[in-house]
Amino acid sequence: SGGSDRLQTLTESLLGHVAMFGQEGDGNWRHNLPGKPVFDLPTYLLFLLGVAICLRRVRQGPYLQLLVWTVVMLAPGVVATDEYPHYTRVMGIVPAVFLFPALGAEWLVGLVGRLVRRPLTSPLTALPALALATLTGLTTARDYFTIWGAQEDVFYAFSGEAAGAARLMRQLGDEPGRVFLLPYNFRLAPDYANRTVDFLYQGRAPYHFVRVEEASLPAGLPALLGSAREAVLFLWRGGEHGDADPKELLPFLLSRAGPKVEETLAPGYRLLRYRLDQPLPADLLAGERPANVRVGEQLLLRGWSAGPEPSDGRFWAAFHWETLARPRGDWSISLQVVGPDGAPYAQADR
């Protein structure tokens, strides 16, 4: 069973790579306009004709070499079956694969010459090829410079958000009392590092890639902040780490240390700056008060904490939930702050 499954996967990968020439191309935004094949329709037909010519003349060395080159250089993409077709894995075919349409065009010109019983030596005979090259060039320029290059997915595929964050860090990074925090998803390795930021940032202020995990972040964040007087937090709006902090745990914890002094939207991220006036609590639910309130048959509110006391004009609240059964859908929480007379003062829905 395992062997047949692997054979089927390899077959599907092979067919996917064969189809990339004229039917369905690479779907990765980093490599291609998703789905765009290697050749447009007229060039693809010439490509097929060129392949047929090579197969017919396979006993001749140059044609055999062209076929072998293409097959061998397709192999890395075919055997890596996690994603197919995959243009960067088969870049080795480039020196050879574009010769096939040329062979097809040469044969076609010769056929027309034989039909009209005279060699096609006039410069006018080059007009169809020039027209095809012009059409292909214009459509390719439109696809890649007008359509592909303007897509948000391309921005994130090339780490545009990380490059933008690094540029801002360079502008702000001469202040030694400042620290930069860049969250990443807890599903990634604890020693994760964003190479784009590492390469582009050279300021004096320290920066940390922060693994957002409720169980460890509250206790570990004070050490990352050190003696800094200001924290600059980048909340990603998309890309690889768009879901790094879905509950906005970092803003919640930083707000416990001091007020937010700036919030700015930029391409790819939201910038939050906090003044650090007091130490952070090492426990997310410090001062938890028991509740044990059952919500239906799925959720139990075990406890809650709120503050600060006395009030400084800000208010925070943390809730300790336990799942009693697999939730049948998504849940939202509505927090209301009311006075002794029942008048509402604030409300937050998350």
Side-chain angles (χ1 to χ4, degrees), residues 241-318:
H241 302 300
D243 61 347
D245 192 2
K247 296 183 181 180
E248 297 197 359
L249 180 60
L250 270 168
F252 171 71
L253 293 173
L254 291 173
S255 68
R256 303 275 292 271
K260 180 173 62 177
V261 296
E262 181 187 347
E263 179 170 350
T264 306
L265 278 179
Y269 62 85
R270 180 158 56 102
L271 176 75
L272 305 178
R273 295 171 68 170
Y274 291 87
R275 191 175 71 236
L276 305 178
D277 296 331
Q278 59 191 23
L280 278 172
D283 185 359
L284 177 64
L285 293 160
E288 179 180 351
R289 307 174 191 181
N292 292 318
V293 176
R294 185 183 290 263
V295 181
E297 299 299 323
Q298 301 177 53
L299 294 177
L300 175 67
L301 178 62
R302 299 193 64 87
W304 61 278
S305 57
E309 296 178 357
S311 174
D312 62 356
R314 296 176 296 128
F315 181 80
W316 59 264

Side-chain angles (χ1 to χ4, degrees), residues 155 158-172 182 194 196-197 200 234 236 266-269 271:
F155 174 80
F158 285 92
S159 301
E161 78 286 4
R167 283 193 294 269
L168 182 62
M169 289 166 63
R170 285 202 306 270
Q171 298 173 15
L172 303 176
L182 303 104
N194 189 301
T196 301
V197 174
L200 294 177
F234 294 90
W236 310 115
Y269 62 85
L271 176 75

Side-chain angles (χ1 to χ4, degrees), residues 171-184:
Q171 298 173 15
L172 303 176
D174 288 333
E175 173 56 56
R178 181 176 288 137
V179 62
F180 298 106
L181 303 176
L182 303 104
Y184 70 93

